């Protein structure tokens, strides 16, 4: 089997040959930041302040003559290190998976079949198909091309694109620059036409690699969440270290034991350092992007995950996003007659209908990239196969590509049997009518038929023909004398899941706007099928041109369908929506869509049919080009932000009792409860709980029934911070109550410590359970699946049993054995600490429900 591109039969490499060359010569990529190794991650974790403080505490225990405590503490450090390594390795694996997905795509021919692969997998000898908007994946020689122009400014500094001509594979690569050369270079941009090239050099051996230049890398901006988290961590870190020094000084002066004072100060510092915040943010964003990629959406910028939950308007293209992008010829009109084509029928074609389809096929690529070309070829094979109208032996001599000035494609064929050349054109009815020089009355008649078919939701193209006997072909298709043949209507079925996805958007307070280059009637027909609101009215591109900015600003709040829109007008629509205060997500696929994609708050490029330029400008890439995938990404974005807030609220709350138990005994001269080893135990619960358990928490049932979140809402807003601190304070009060009661009863220091610490652990687990949701009670969440959370709770409970009842471990923690009544007291007190918050969920459900996404934006119709 061979693939035919521009009438050249090419087989390409076999998969075995490509794999062997990839292994021998390495991937097609320039030197860049490599994924972090296991040792690099370990070294990064070891330098964290928490680990350094614990190591310092272990050294002090050794100096104080407590080698057993020192050894256990240092072993515990390795346990925390293991948890951190697991979390960060999981994050790194997710990032590596995303890096593989985000590699620029290349369309190659292997074993005669066209295959889209990651650019890094292109090897020397590969046959690459280049189309407008593609980045050239590696250096190569052009085998064939049609109107191919390439922007080589990345290498030459010249902004004017250069023309390309075919050449011989045996040629040696020359320097870039100049017209009519047969070479293409890695990283350059195809701005016009199509071509086929054989790759000569890859990776660092390309011209781009040899001169030592790097591709422009779009660095992710520092997100609002990262800035806010860094600020909070900095404040709490400075506070913790200051209190650490103060406590060490007070304890040293009052007890005379300066080493013990330093030990107590380290304990206080560890209890106050919120190092989990950075871990939580990294894990959530990385794993969140990975989860979204599983729904066929690639995240190119982490900040998009934050913005997803704030989107108020989704601007989507019709073709391929709302529809299946699998077009078929549905109806033809010629010589005053209509004929419908049924894919299941082989009925013959009448009169001029047969000629209309014949020249529609000739005006299309034989191995079409475009769904319309494919539809023409399929219709031709079905209905013209038994005739002599397929002309498979004819050779293409020239193509006049689609351009902004002429929305039609003209193809010139050498017809040996007819001693001349045959010219076929297909395109927008207005453009073809112009080429045929139709009179106004003739054009009005054609236009009426086109609009009637478009009202049925069909895509309308016109077809014309002419002949050209000899001489040089004209530079402009307008110089041909075309004969108008008729109209072809193509059907593009709506994706079956779209109607439900649109309803889900409306329930979530998100307005859906259709922007298409198709006829208004076609767009309105599709809108009715997907139950888009406002389908009775549409604005066209010419309508937009007649409006000033103020008028457009008013209209975009009312109109949901924009038809016959060119890419430049998309940017104006995006800016008008933004000016009205909307948070705009927009889809695009072409080179000219890039400015609008960048202007939108969330730019979404098509991964299947989109150009590399559009993908580079976008924040998200739809790997399957489906609108429903965008909705799923929004759902996941809301879930990620919800769970992030829950994890942060839990971390903030749990540090209050830990810090309090480390600080209050020092100030009141009570026996010390919290020692570094106890803090280590708590970290073994807190770290996986905040980053793994909360990240895996299922979404809230109303996640897509809320209005969008205000993007200016801080992660630690006043109400969230207040409720988190109140949770922590209530736990601290309950634990201190158990502490005071045990001392009042005259319990030994080890018994007091065991009772207090057990109560704190149970209260910590209660905090995990209650923060799973700020709207549902623990009883309502009991059957909600979250295996990671249950493993954390079971592990903490089992470890607590070990430190309470295994004598050697019990001695290390300086505990006494607790009786059943003592455990029941701790369990009751620990659970009681969060009862008020559970009651608040029931009494103040509307307030708490609005608190999780906070300060929502009112939905627009």
């Amino acid at each position: 089997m061979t693939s035919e591109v521009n009438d050249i039969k090419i087989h390409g490499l076999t998969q075995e040959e490509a794999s062997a060359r990839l292994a021998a010569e390495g991937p097609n990529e320039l030197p860049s930041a490599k994924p972090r190794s296991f040792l690099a991650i370990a070294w990064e974790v070891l330098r964290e302040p928490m680990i350094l403080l614990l190591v310092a505490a272990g050294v002090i225990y050794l100096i104080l003559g407590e080698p057993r405590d020192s050894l256990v503490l240092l072993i515990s450090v390795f346990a925390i290190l293991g948890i951190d390594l697991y979390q960060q390795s999981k994050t790194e694996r997710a990032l590596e998976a995303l890096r593989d997905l985000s590699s620029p795509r290349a369309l190659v021919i292997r074993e005669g079949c066209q295959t889209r692969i990651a650019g890094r997998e292109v090897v020397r000898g590969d046959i690459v198909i280049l189309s407008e908007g593609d980045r050239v994946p590696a250096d190569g020689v052009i085998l064939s091309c049609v109107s191919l122009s390439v922007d080589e400014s990345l290498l030459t500094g010249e902004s004017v694109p250069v023309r390309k001509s075919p050449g011989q594979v045996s040629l040696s690569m020359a320097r870039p620059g100049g017209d009519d050369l047969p070479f293409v270079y890695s990283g350059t941009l195809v701005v016009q036409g199509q071509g086929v090239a054989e790759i000569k050099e890859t990776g660092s051996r390309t011209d781009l690699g040899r001169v030592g230049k790097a591709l422009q890398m779009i660095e992710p901006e520092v997100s609002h969440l990262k800035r806010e988290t860094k600020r909070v961590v900095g404040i709490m870190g400075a506070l913790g270290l200051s209190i650490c020094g103060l406590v060490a000084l007070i304890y040293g002066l009052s007890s005379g034991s300066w080493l013990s004072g330093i030990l107590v100060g380290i304990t206080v510092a560890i209890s106050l350092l919120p190092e989990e915040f950075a871990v939580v943010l990294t894990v959530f964003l990385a794993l969140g992007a990975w989860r979204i990629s599983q729904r066929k959406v690639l995240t190119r910028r982490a900040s998009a995950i934050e913005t997803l939950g704030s989107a108020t308007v989704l601007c989507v293209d019709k073709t391929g996003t709302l529809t299946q992008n699998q077009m078929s010829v549905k109806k033809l009109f010629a010589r005053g007659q209509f004929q419908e084509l049924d894919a299941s029928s082989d009925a013959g074609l009448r009169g001029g209908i047969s000629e209309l389809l014949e020249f529609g096929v000739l005006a299309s690529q034989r191995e079409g990239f475009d769904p319309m070309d494919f539809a023409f070829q399929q219709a031709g094979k079905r209905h013209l196969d038994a005739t002599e109208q397929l002309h498979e032996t004819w050779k293409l001599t020239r193509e006049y590509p689609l351009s902004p000035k002429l929305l039609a494609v003209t193809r010139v064929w050498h017809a040996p049997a007819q001693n001349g050349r045959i010219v076929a054109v297909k395109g927008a009815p207005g453009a073809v009518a112009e080429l045929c020089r139709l009179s106004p009355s003739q054009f009005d008649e054609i236009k009426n038929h086109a609009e009637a078919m478009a009202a049925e939701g069909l895509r309308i193209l016109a077809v014309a023909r002419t002949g050209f006997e000899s001489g040089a072909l004209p530079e402009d298709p307008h110089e041909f004398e075309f004969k108008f043949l008729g109209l072809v209507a193509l059907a593009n079925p709506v994706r079956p899941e779209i109607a439900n996805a649109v309803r889900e958007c409306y329930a979530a307070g998100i307005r859906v706007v259709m922007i298409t280059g198709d006829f208004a009637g076609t767009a309105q027909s599709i809108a009715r099928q997907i139950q888009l609101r406002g389908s009775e009215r549409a604005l066209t591109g010419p309508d937009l041109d007649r409006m000033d900015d103020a008028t457009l600003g008013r209209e975009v709040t009312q109109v949901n369908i924009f038809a016959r829109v060119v890419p430049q007008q998309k940017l104006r629509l995006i800016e008008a929506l933004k000016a009205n205060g909307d948070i705009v997500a927009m889809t695009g696929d072409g080179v000219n869509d890039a400015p609008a994609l960048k202007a939108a708050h969330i730019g979404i490029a098509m991964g299947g049919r989109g150009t590399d330029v559009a993908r580079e400008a976008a924040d998200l890439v739809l790997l399957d080009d489906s609108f429903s995938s965008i909705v799923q990404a929004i759902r996941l974005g809301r879930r990620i932000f919800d769970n992030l807030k829950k994890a942060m609220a839990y971390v903030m709350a749990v540090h209050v009792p830990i810090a309090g138990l480390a600080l209050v005994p020092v100030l009141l001269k009570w026996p010390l409860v919290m020692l570094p080893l106890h803090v280590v135990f708590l970290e073994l619960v807190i770290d996986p709980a905040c980053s793994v358990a909360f990240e895996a928490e299922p979404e809230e049932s109303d996640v897509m029934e809320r209005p969008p979140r205000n993007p200016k809402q801080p992660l630690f807003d006043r109400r969230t911070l207040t409720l988190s601190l109140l949770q922590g304070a209530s736990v601290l009060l309950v634990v201190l109550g158990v502490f005071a009661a045990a001392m009042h009863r005259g319990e030994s220091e080890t018994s007091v410590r065991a009772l207090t610490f057990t109560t704190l652990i149970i209260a910590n687990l209660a905090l995990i359970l209650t923060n799973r949701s700020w709207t549902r009670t623990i009883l309502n969440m009991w059957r909600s699946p979250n295996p990671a959370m249950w493993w954390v709770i079971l592990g903490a409970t089992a470890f607590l049993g070990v430190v309470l009842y295994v004598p050697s471990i019990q001695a290390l923690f300086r505990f006494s054995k607790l009786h059943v009544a003592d455990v029941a007291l701790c369990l009751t007190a620990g659970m009681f600490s969060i009862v008020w918050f559970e009651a608040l969920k029931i009494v103040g459900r509307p307030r708490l429900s609005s608190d999780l996404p906070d300060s929502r934006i009112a939905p627009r119709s």
Side-chain angles (χ1 to χ4, degrees):
M1 175 183 177
T2 59
S3 181
E4 188 175 317
V5 182
N6 290 335
D7 307 303
I8 295 179
K9 295 184 181 297
I10 300 173
H11 185 272
L13 298 176
T14 64
Q15 291 296 339
E16 291 76 13
E17 289 171 334
S19 298
R21 292 188 184 182
L22 184 64
E25 301 176 3
N28 176 41
E29 56 189 6
L30 297 176
S32 60
K34 299 296 182 184
R36 294 181 302 168
S37 66
F38 183 83
L39 289 177
I41 296 173
W43 176 243
E44 188 173 309
V45 173
L46 282 170
R47 291 183 296 170
E48 290 182 0
M50 167 73 75
I51 299 295
L52 295 177
L53 286 170
L54 289 174
V55 171
V59 172
I60 292 172
Y61 270 125
L62 197 61
I63 295 173
L64 290 173
E66 300 284 354
R68 186 175 61 175
D69 286 25
S70 176
L71 181 62
V72 171
L73 191 62
L74 293 175
I75 290 174
S76 301
V77 167
F78 282 103
I80 294 178
L81 179 64
I83 292 174
D84 282 351
L85 283 173
Y86 168 75
Q87 292 169 340
Q88 296 209 32
S89 296
K90 188 175 181 181
T91 298
E92 195 65 31
R93 287 195 299 272
L95 291 173
E96 181 62 23
L98 292 175
R99 274 192 287 265
D100 287 342
L101 281 174
S102 62
S103 174
R105 318 307 284 174
L107 187 62
V108 301
I109 298 175
R110 287 186 180 170
E111 298 183 355
C113 298
Q114 296 178 22
T115 307
R116 194 169 292 278
I117 62 174
R120 67 191 305 274
E121 296 176 6
V122 171
V123 298
R124 182 175 49 81
D126 257 330
I127 305 300
V128 179
I129 299 172
L130 302 172
S131 301
E132 181 178 330
D134 289 346
R135 288 280 180 192
V136 179
D139 290 5
V141 176
I142 298 170
L143 304 180
S144 70
C145 64
V146 176
S147 304
L148 184 65
S149 294
V150 180
D151 178 358
E152 296 181 347
S153 58
L154 179 69
L155 298 173
T156 64
E158 286 291 335
S159 58
V160 178
V162 293
R163 294 189 308 273
K164 295 296 178 181
S165 300
Q168 299 297 322
V169 177
S170 58
L171 292 173
S172 298
M173 294 296 299
R175 298 289 297 168
D179 286 323
D180 298 319
L181 293 176
F183 308 110
V184 286
Y185 303 90
S186 175
T188 57
L189 173 66
V190 179
V191 295
Q192 185 179 5
Q194 294 177 339
V196 180
E198 180 172 327
I199 299 303
K200 301 278 284 184
E201 300 290 354
T202 61
S204 59
R205 294 172 295 278
T206 63
D207 197 85
L208 188 65
R210 281 195 300 272
V211 298
K213 293 183 179 178
L215 289 170
Q216 280 188 319
M217 303 299 291
I218 302 174
E219 295 293 338
E221 62 182 40
V222 178
S223 70
H224 173 69
L225 281 181
K226 287 187 177 180
R227 288 195 301 269
E228 189 176 356
T229 302
K230 185 177 180 180
R231 180 178 61 84
V232 173
V233 170
I235 292 171
M236 293 189 68
L239 181 64
L241 292 176
S242 300
I243 295 177
C244 167
L246 183 61
V247 168
L249 182 63
I250 293 173
Y251 194 91
L253 290 173
S254 60
S255 68
S257 175
W258 289 100
L259 282 177
S260 297
I262 294 173
L263 202 59
V264 173
I266 287 175
T267 304
V268 173
I270 292 172
S271 66
L272 284 172
L273 277 177
E275 83 290 341
E276 298 93 352
F277 284 160
V279 174
V280 167
L281 189 60
T282 301
V283 169
F284 269 67
L285 293 184
L287 293 184
W290 177 80
R291 286 186 189 279
I292 289 175
S293 74
Q294 301 306 294
R295 304 297 177 91
K296 306 297 183 183
V297 181
L298 171 65
T299 305
R300 297 195 72 251
R301 296 177 181 86
S303 57
I305 296 176
E306 298 176 41
T307 316
L308 276 171
S310 302
T312 61
V313 176
L314 275 180
C315 296
V316 295
D317 186 17
K318 174 182 71 66
T319 305
T321 308
L322 300 177
T323 56
Q324 295 182 20
N325 209 26
Q326 296 177 349
M327 305 191 80
S328 60
V329 176
K330 183 71 174 177
K331 185 183 290 188
L332 300 104
F333 170 79
R335 299 180 187 175
Q337 291 185 324
F338 287 96
Q339 181 169 348
E340 293 206 19
L341 295 189
D342 186 349
S344 62
S345 170
D346 293 320
L349 303 181
R350 298 191 298 268
I353 301 292
S354 175
E355 183 184 20
L356 171 63
L357 182 57
E358 174 190 0
F359 279 86
V361 172
L362 286 172
S364 305
Q365 291 275 358
R366 281 181 172 168
E367 294 287 338
F369 306 110
D370 187 275
M372 289 185 290
D373 285 346
F374 182 77
F376 273 101
Q377 296 296 342
Q378 290 297 105
K381 289 176 182 177
R382 173 170 291 276
H383 297 281
L384 301 178
D385 190 45
T387 71
E388 297 179 355
Q389 294 176 282
L390 281 185
H391 311 298
E392 293 182 345
T393 60
W394 287 12
K395 298 298 181 183
L396 180 69
T397 59
R398 180 159 183 181
E399 179 179 87
Y400 299 85
L402 190 78
S403 70
K405 294 181 180 179
L406 181 62
L407 299 178
V409 175
T410 305
R411 290 166 65 83
V412 182
W413 296 90
H414 177 58
Q418 300 188 29
N419 297 318
R421 283 169 281 189
I422 298 297
V423 186
V425 60
K426 77 172 190 300
V432 176
E434 177 188 335
L435 289 175
C436 296
R437 301 174 178 83
L438 298 183
S439 67
S441 60
Q442 291 174 318
F443 176 68
D444 287 341
E445 181 184 357
I446 295 299
K447 182 181 177 182
N448 290 336
H449 289 306
E451 289 178 348
M453 289 192 288
E456 302 175 25
L458 303 175
R459 179 71 180 267
I460 313 303
L461 294 176
V463 177
R465 65 162 294 178
T466 190
F468 194 84
E469 293 185 2
S470 61
L473 290 170
E475 291 300 317
D476 191 331
H478 286 87
E479 297 181 36
F480 289 113
E481 297 287 339
F482 283 107
K483 173 188 175 184
F484 192 87
L485 295 179
L487 299 172
V488 180
L490 299 102
N492 191 355
V494 171
R495 291 177 184 259
E497 71 277 8
I498 296 300
N500 286 333
V502 170
R503 282 195 295 271
E504 198 170 3
C505 282
Y506 289 145
I510 301 170
R511 179 179 158 213
V512 180
V513 175
M514 184 196 300
I515 302 176
T516 178
D518 216 333
F519 284 101
T522 305
Q524 288 174 295
S525 173
I526 296 296
R528 287 190 289 271
Q529 294 178 55
I530 65 173
Q531 299 174 32
L532 187 75
R533 292 175 183 171
S535 60
E536 67 282 352
R537 187 181 175 203
L539 287 178
T540 64
D543 293 334
L544 299 182
D545 287 337
R546 288 191 290 269
M547 293 180 185
D548 57 24
D549 290 343
T551 305
L552 180 60
R554 291 191 298 271
E555 291 291 344
V556 293
T557 64
Q558 305 296 327
V559 179
N560 293 332
I561 301 174
F562 296 91
R564 307 303 286 170
V565 172
V566 297
Q568 295 86 340
Q569 292 168 331
K570 287 186 180 182
L571 178 60
R572 193 171 174 221
L573 286 171
I574 298 302
E575 295 293 357
L577 288 165
K578 288 170 64 178
N580 287 334
D582 280 304
I583 305 300
V584 184
M586 179 217 154
T587 65
D589 58 4
V591 176
N592 292 330
D593 287 336
L597 288 172
K598 274 188 172 290
H601 295 99
I602 308 171
I604 306 170
M606 302 295 105
R609 72 177 191 277
T611 60
D612 284 347
V613 173
R615 287 190 285 267
E616 288 172 12
D619 303 292
L620 303 175
V621 177
L622 294 185
L623 301 179
D624 62 356
D625 293 0
S626 174
F627 173 79
S628 60
S629 295
I630 306 175
V631 180
Q632 289 300 315
I634 291 174
R635 174 186 288 274
L636 279 171
R638 291 187 174 194
R639 168 191 161 177
I640 291 164
F641 194 86
D642 277 4
N643 289 347
L644 183 61
K645 288 201 71 172
K646 295 171 187 176
M648 295 295 196
Y650 161 73
V651 171
M652 186 71 73
V654 79
H655 273 275
V656 173
I658 297 173
L661 283 178
L663 193 58
V664 170
V666 175
L667 300 177
L668 300 181
K669 297 185 178 179
W670 290 358
L672 295 177
V673 177
M674 298 294 291
L675 299 172
L677 189 58
H678 302 120
V679 178
V680 168
F681 180 94
L682 284 163
E683 288 296 328
L684 292 175
V685 179
I686 296 171
D687 273 2
C690 66
S691 58
V692 177
F694 279 108
E695 194 280 330
E697 184 64 25
E699 66 201 33
E700 298 281 349
S701 59
D702 68 339
V703 71
M704 289 299 281
E705 297 172 5
R706 316 171 188 156
R709 176 179 57 83
N710 190 330
K712 296 181 180 178
Q713 167 208 345
L715 184 63
F716 300 101
D717 59 274
R718 184 179 301 175
R719 185 167 172 77
T720 303
L721 188 60
T722 300
L723 285 171
S724 297
L725 294 178
L726 282 175
Q727 287 183 36
S730 67
V731 170
L732 177 59
L733 288 174
V734 168
V735 174
L736 286 177
V738 171
F739 189 175
M743 289 183 60
H744 181 71
R745 290 189 318 191
E747 300 278 358
S748 65
E749 182 178 324
T750 54
S751 181
V752 170
R753 182 177 291 112
L755 284 165
T756 305
F757 189 76
T758 302
T759 305
L760 177 60
I761 291 295
I762 293 171
N764 183 10
L765 298 180
L767 281 175
I768 295 173
L769 290 171
T770 196
N771 278 292
R772 288 184 66 196
S773 174
W774 281 25
T775 57
R776 294 174 294 152
T777 64
I778 290 176
L779 295 177
N780 290 335
M781 291 184 288
W782 194 253
R783 294 183 179 180
S784 183
N786 188 344
M789 182 206 64
W790 294 115
W791 278 113
V792 169
I793 290 175
L794 289 174
T797 304
F799 199 10
L800 180 61
V802 170
V803 300
L804 286 176
Y805 296 108
V806 175
S808 57
I809 306 298
Q810 183 188 99
L812 279 172
F813 277 75
R814 294 168 175 80
F815 287 166
S816 292
K817 182 179 180 180
L818 295 184
H819 300 291
V820 175
D822 296 327
V823 174
L825 171 66
C826 296
L827 183 61
T828 303
M831 295 305 296
F832 179 76
S833 65
I834 52 92
V835 167
W836 70 270
F837 190 65
E838 289 292 293
L840 186 62
K841 290 179 183 180
I842 300 172
V843 176
R845 181 162 298 180
R847 294 285 305 277
L848 285 173
S849 149
S850 65
D851 180 63
L852 200 53
D854 279 331
S855 307
R856 297 166 181 168
I857 298 173
R860 297 175 184 264
S861 61

